[in-house]
Structure formats: structure tokens, C-alpha cells
């Protein structure tokens, strides 16, 4: 990463967290981020659920909720893009302040509450990107119910109908701790009913985006196994592991550690990895996994690949390491593959389970 981008990253950390986030989005939208080649390492390419990924690295949902900085994000060399979470109707989210840095812990806490412009506005931006040929990598949309919805399942159905024709994958976010309807489907019976409705809705659209479910790290092992059984029975294409946590490790030192919301960043790395290993073991590697949670370096991403992730996403790591972290991860993964004798990234996925 260039000196100017290092300085910019440090300067943004002097501003309130949500203000800095908004500036970073506008900078990416204006094309001011570092440039990277997503296809510079051919060994990082793979095909998953009918989609070609030039590399396994992306910024996670929550960073660009409204699809306003897609071209800027993909210019960093990301292997794919996920925007959202998007709700059917626009909503302001929770009152500010709602995003907090925990600098001493290299972490963040958010209780944003799915603030976004709504499905119509986001759909229009994605459709324009596709029509103009400016979309250079796979794009997914993270779907969420409105906080005041009386029928969250109907919200998801509406979102599937809206975005299926323009997305490469749809992420069903049933694990957000910061919204009234964010976790109502973390009951196996409720999740089974939702998946049945959504798969029928998807079939009616005639479109074929992959369906991905995003799970929370705060479930018991028994409940997690039940949810995984439901998702596998439904034929889910991939699972994202995992969302932010409401847990507060005793190791936290920052003054903001007591804020309400979902914790992300370095302190949840091991927790997320253990969940990733459990999910990989329970599914036997049959379902591609997207590893999220605490990635602060290329070596962290490599750990998730070996634990079972086919793809990785990060967000909080960018706050502390800057946008050059995307390139660092790509280079580290390529180097690790060569050093350890793997022909491609797919061969390394879950390799710790075979050691």
C-alpha cells in the first residue's frame, strides 16, 4: 500500500467511526483507493456454486450497504462483492452513535440496525452496473427484513423476487443481533419454513443465483447442528460463518467494550474459526463456506482457508490495516499455496482436517 493510503487510513481513524466509514465509501466511489489485479495469481481461482471466482477475497456485507462503491471496491482486486444488508423499504437504522472502534483490541462494535436506501434504490444501482458493463466480478446481495415488519418471511420473499435477476448470489441474513427481526429465523422450524418459501419464490423468478445463509456465532453446538441440518436439507449453496457476536471476551481493554451491539475484529477470530471448523466437520466439506470474523492479515485468511473456508470476507481489518490488506491477503495466499505444494486454493480448503 502506498504512503498516501497509509496516511489516509491513519487520518480516518481520528474521525468518529461512522463519519470515517462514509468518507471511505465516497473515496472508493471516486476511485481513490489502491489498485489491484484480482486475477494476478491463477492458483487462487475456483468455481463454486456455478460462479467463477478469480480469488477468494472480498469485503463483507455491511461495508457498502447501498451498492454505491462497487466499482471502487472491485478495483482493490476483490474476488467478489457483497452489498447490503438491504431491506424491502428504506430504513434509518438505530440512533447514533451506533458504530464504535475498540482500537486497543483492533475491534469494533456496531448496532447499525440495517440502515439502507431500500430494495428499489439498490436494485437500480446494480442493474445499471450490469447494463453498463462496469461489474467486473461476481456480486451478491445480503438480504434482511425491515425492523418493523409484521411478516419478515414476506420481506425475504420480496427481496428474492427483486434481486434474483441481477445477483450472482443472495445471502439470507438470519443472524444480525442489531435489528428487531434480525434473528427470528434462528429457530430450526422457522428457518425450514423460510427456506421452503424462498426456494419456491426463487423458482418462480426463473433466475438462478446461488442461495447462501449467514449464521451467528452465539448458538449452542446443538442448535447449530439443527440449523445446519435444515440448510443442507434445503439444498443451500453456501454458508457464511459467521456474523458479529454479542459476547464480550474478558480480554477486551477498550473503553467502548461495554457498548451494546455486535463485536467484530481480532477478538472474535478464534471464536469464528472454531465455529468454522465445526460447520466444516458437520457438513463434511459438502457445502462451500465463507469465512468471516477477525481477519487482520494474510495469515489470518490462510488459517480460515485451512479450517474450511472456500472464500473469505473482511471489514474491521480494513479499519486498522487499510485497503492494502486486500492485496496482502491475495499475495499471502498465493505464497502459502506454492510453499506447501497445493496446486490451487480449492486443494487447501479444509486441509487442516486432513493433516
Amino acid at each position: 500500500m502506498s504512503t498516501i493510503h497509509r496516511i489516509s487510513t491513519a487520518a480516518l481513524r481520528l474521525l468518529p467511526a461512522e463519519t470515517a466509514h462514509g468518507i471511505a465509501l465516497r473515496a472508493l466511489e471516486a476511485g481513490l483507493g489502491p489498485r489491484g489485479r484480482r486475477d494476478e495469481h491463477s492458483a487462487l481461482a475456483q468455481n463454486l456454486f456455478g460462479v467463477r471466482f478469480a480469488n477468494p477475497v472480498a469485503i463483507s456485507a455491511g461495508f457498502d450497504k447501498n451498492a454505491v462503491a462497487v466499482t471502487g471496491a472491485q478495483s482493490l482486486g476483490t474476488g467478489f462483492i457483497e452489498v447490503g444488508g438491504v431491506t424491502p423499504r428504506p430504513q434509518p437504522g438505530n440512533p447514533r452513535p451506533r458504530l464504535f472502534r475498540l482500537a486497543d483490541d483492533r475491534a469494533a462494535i456496531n448496532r447499525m440496525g440495517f440502515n439502507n436506501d431500500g430494495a428499489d434504490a439498490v436494485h437500480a444501482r446494480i442493474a445499471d452496473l450490469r447494463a453498463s458493463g462496469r461489474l467486473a466480478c461476481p456480486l451478491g446481495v445480503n438480504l434482511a427484513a425491515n425492523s418493523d415488519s409484521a411478516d419478515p418471511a414476506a420481506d425475504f420473499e420480496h427481496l428474492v423476487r427483486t434481486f434474483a435477476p441481477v445477483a450472482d448470489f443472495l445471502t439470507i441474513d438470519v443472524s444480525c443481533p442489531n435489528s428487531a427481526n434480525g434473528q427470528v429465523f434462528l429457530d430450526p422450524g422457522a428457518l425450514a419454513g423460510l427456506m421452503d418459501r424462498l426456494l419456491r419464490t426463487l423458482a418462480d423468478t426463473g433466475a438462478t443465483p446461488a442461495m447462501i445463509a449467514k449464521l451467528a456465532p452465539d448458538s449452542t453446538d446443538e442448535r447449530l447442528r439443527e440449523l445446519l441440518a435444515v440448510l443442507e436439507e434445503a439444498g443451500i449453496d453456501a454458508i457464511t460463518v459467521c456474523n458479529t457476536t454479542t459476547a464480550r471476551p474478558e480480554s477486551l481493554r477498550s473503553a467502548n467494550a461495554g457498548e451494546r451491539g455486535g463485536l467484530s475484529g481480532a477478538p472474535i477470530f478464534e471464536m469464528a474459526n472454531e465455529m468454522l471448523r465445526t460447520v466444516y466437520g458437520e457438513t463434511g466439506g459438502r457445502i462451500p463456506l465463507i469465512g468471516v470474523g477477525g481477519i487482520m492479515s494474510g495469515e489470518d485468511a490462510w488459517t480460515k482457508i485451512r479450517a474450511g473456508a472456500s472464500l473469505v470476507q473482511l471489514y474491521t481489518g480494513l479499519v486498522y490495516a487499510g485497503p492494502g490488506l486486500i492485496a496482502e491477503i491475495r499475495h499471502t495466499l498465493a505464497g502459502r499455496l506454492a510453499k506447501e505444494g497445493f496446486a490451487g486454493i480449492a486443494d487447501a480448503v479444509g486441509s487442516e482436517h486432513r493433516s
Side-chain angles (χ1 to χ4, degrees), residues 37-298:
R37 278 188 52 199
R38 69 182 48 80
D39 59 352
E40 63 188 321
H41 302 293
S42 60
L44 297 183
Q46 59 187 322
N47 293 313
L48 297 165
F49 42 82
V51 179
R52 179 70 170 174
F53 295 88
N55 72 69
V57 189
I59 303 172
S60 66
F63 178 76
D64 185 4
K65 294 178 174 64
N66 297 309
V68 298
V70 170
T71 56
Q74 68 184 12
S75 72
L76 300 176
T78 55
F80 62 108
I81 300 285
E82 183 172 343
V83 300
V86 184
T87 54
R89 291 173 284 106
Q91 65 180 28
N94 294 321
R96 300 192 189 201
R98 53 194 180 181
L99 179 61
F100 308 89
R101 293 190 200 94
L102 283 67
D104 290 343
D105 303 294
R106 295 190 302 156
I109 291 174
N110 94 83
R111 51 173 182 263
M112 303 297 287
F114 288 130
N115 55 305
N116 73 102
D117 293 343
D120 289 346
V122 176
H123 175 272
R125 293 182 187 121
I126 296 172
D128 179 63
L129 285 166
R130 288 210 178 275
S132 63
R134 289 179 291 148
L135 196 57
C137 65
L139 180 140
V141 184
N142 184 287
L143 311 180
N146 279 111
S147 296
D148 61 354
S149 175
D151 189 352
D155 280 18
F156 280 111
E157 287 181 306
H158 174 79
L159 291 165
V160 168
R161 283 191 295 269
T162 300
F163 288 107
V166 297
D168 295 294
F169 63 90
L170 301 174
T171 298
I172 312 305
D173 196 335
V174 294
S175 57
C176 177
N178 302 313
S179 172
N181 284 321
Q183 297 188 326
V184 296
F185 296 107
L186 286 181
D187 170 82
L191 182 60
L194 176 68
M195 293 307 302
D196 180 65
R197 290 176 64 170
L198 296 189
L199 290 173
R200 284 189 280 112
T201 300
L202 181 60
D204 289 343
T205 70
T208 58
M211 294 285 277
I212 298 173
K214 188 171 187 177
L215 297 180
D218 301 320
S219 298
T220 64
D221 287 346
E222 180 179 359
R223 175 53 55 89
L224 177 59
R225 284 192 291 270
E226 293 172 339
L227 295 173
L228 292 174
V230 168
L231 293 174
E232 191 160 14
E233 176 68 22
I236 200 74
D237 292 297
I239 301 172
T240 299
V241 183
C242 56
N243 216 317
T244 59
T245 179
T246 56
R248 295 294 182 268
E250 293 183 1
S251 61
L252 295 180
R253 298 175 295 161
S254 302
N256 287 327
E259 291 290 345
R260 179 177 54 83
L263 175 70
S264 61
I268 78 165
F269 183 62
E270 292 303 332
M271 173 192 297
N273 292 347
E274 285 308 306
M275 181 178 178
L276 180 62
R277 293 179 178 109
T278 298
V279 174
Y280 185 86
E282 290 290 331
T283 58
R286 295 181 296 274
I287 301 173
L289 306 180
I290 303 175
V292 188
I295 296 177
M296 314 298 283
S297 68

